[in-house]
Amino acid sequence: MKAIKSILAITLCTVMPLAATAQKVFDKGDRKADLTVGVGIVAYPDNSKVTFDQHLGMEWGIANFGDRFTLGLGFNVNNTYGGTLEGEVAGEYDYTYTRSSYGKVYRYSTKKWETFNDTKEIRREGVGTADADISREDINAQITVALHFSPMKRLDTYAKIGAGVGYMHWMVSNLHNEEGFKSADVNERNKNDMYDTTDRYKYNDLDHVEWSGFDSKVVPAISVYVGATYMLTDRWGIDAQAGLISANLKGSKKGYPNSYSVFAVGTSYRF
């Protein structure tokens, strides 16, 4: 019993001075900017895929609670890229291209050469398929509220929530095994004793294709996470975040899996 009392007394003697001398790392009136990078996922139904994420945040201290708690108000802008799948895509095209024909022809009726220069618009439409890499690039902007706690000198810990609007965007790349698409680049001259003509035109169906099922979409965005900032100097610190740092949430339409940012590290600057 005496040993326990001695341990408690030593602990109190150690902790109380630290608590008394601890200062808020993030205080009312402070401003702080964070720039972090990290990882996340696109939550496909069968197999989630990893994303590379970037986060920019700004925050203002607006109120104090007790000796070491501060309420912060700010905003975050978040970007995620990746979640790449391999699969078949299908699309359709409908466009026009210009065909030019010019030159000269010999007319027996007049015994003279006549020049001409014709231009016409030609329409191409159709459907096709291809194998491709399918990736996601999402962005969102959120208003955030955070509660900061300074457990020791130079260390700021916080819990943050946010809500805003996001944008889901699909990217189709690395096309191969294409079917139903054509292209041409023609600059052809034909010449004999009776004519000297040139045909010029260029088109590529893949430059005008719209892939089915990959329309961009505006969605709700949220965040709920914790973080910690250790100040290396009075201005600069290192920051780590974990939890639901950013999430773009799908609507009712199928084929738009959620994207989640779950961990990030970076730098913090206090104004």
Side-chain angles (χ1 to χ4, degrees), residues 12 19 34 36 53 57 75 117 136 146 168 191 196 212 227 244 255:
L12 289 173
D34 301 318
T36 60
D53 308 336
F75 66 87
N117 191 343
R136 273 270 293 276
M168 289 179 172
K191 182 179 180 182
D196 184 358
S212 301
L244 194 60

Side-chain angles (χ1 to χ4, degrees), residues 11-67:
T11 302
L12 289 173
C13 290
T14 302
V15 171
M16 291 303 292
L18 289 174
T21 59
Q23 296 178 347
K24 293 187 182 72
V25 178
F26 184 71
D27 204 352
K28 179 181 178 181
D30 284 349
R31 293 174 296 163
K32 186 178 78 160
D34 301 318
L35 181 62
T36 60
V37 296
V39 294
I41 61 170
V42 175
Y44 294 110
D46 299 327
N47 186 17
S48 297
K49 295 293 184 177
V50 176
T51 60
F52 172 70
D53 308 336
Q54 307 89 48
H55 312 278
L56 173 64
M58 187 72 191
E59 192 173 6
W60 290 262
I62 60 172
N64 287 335
F65 299 95
D67 293 333

Side-chain angles (χ1 to χ4, degrees), residues 40-45 47-51 53 80 82-83 85 136-138 140 167-170 217 219-222 244 246-262:
I41 61 170
V42 175
Y44 294 110
N47 186 17
S48 297
K49 295 293 184 177
V50 176
T51 60
D53 308 336
T80 66
L85 290 174
R136 273 270 293 276
E137 183 171 22
D138 289 7
N140 66 58
Y167 182 73
M168 289 179 172
H169 176 63
W170 295 99
K217 188 174 182 66
V219 297
I222 63 169
L244 194 60
S246 170
N248 273 11
L249 306 179
K250 67 183 178 181
S252 58
K253 186 176 180 179
K254 295 181 180 179
Y256 290 87
N258 298 348
S259 64
Y260 305 109
S261 298
V262 296

Side-chain angles (χ1 to χ4, degrees), residues 105-116:
V105 296
Y106 185 78
R107 302 296 186 188
Y108 278 110
S109 59
T110 61
K111 306 296 184 180
K112 292 181 180 180
W113 288 89
E114 294 182 4
T115 61
F116 69 95

Side-chain angles (χ1 to χ4, degrees), residues 91-97 122-127 181 204-210:
E92 58 182 300
Y93 53 89
D94 185 354
Y95 67 101
T96 60
Y97 68 94
I122 299 177
R123 184 178 180 182
R124 284 191 60 81
E125 57 181 322
V127 296
F181 302 106
N204 186 346
D205 296 340
L206 288 172
D207 289 341
H208 304 273
V209 65
E210 293 187 4

Side-chain angles (χ1 to χ4, degrees), residues 8 15 35 111 118 143 163 176 188 192 217 219 225 229 238 244 255 266:
L8 289 173
V15 171
L35 181 62
K111 306 296 184 180
D118 295 331
I143 301 298
H176 51 285
E188 185 177 67
N192 61 21
K217 188 174 182 66
V219 297
Y225 63 99
T229 305
I238 54 176
L244 194 60

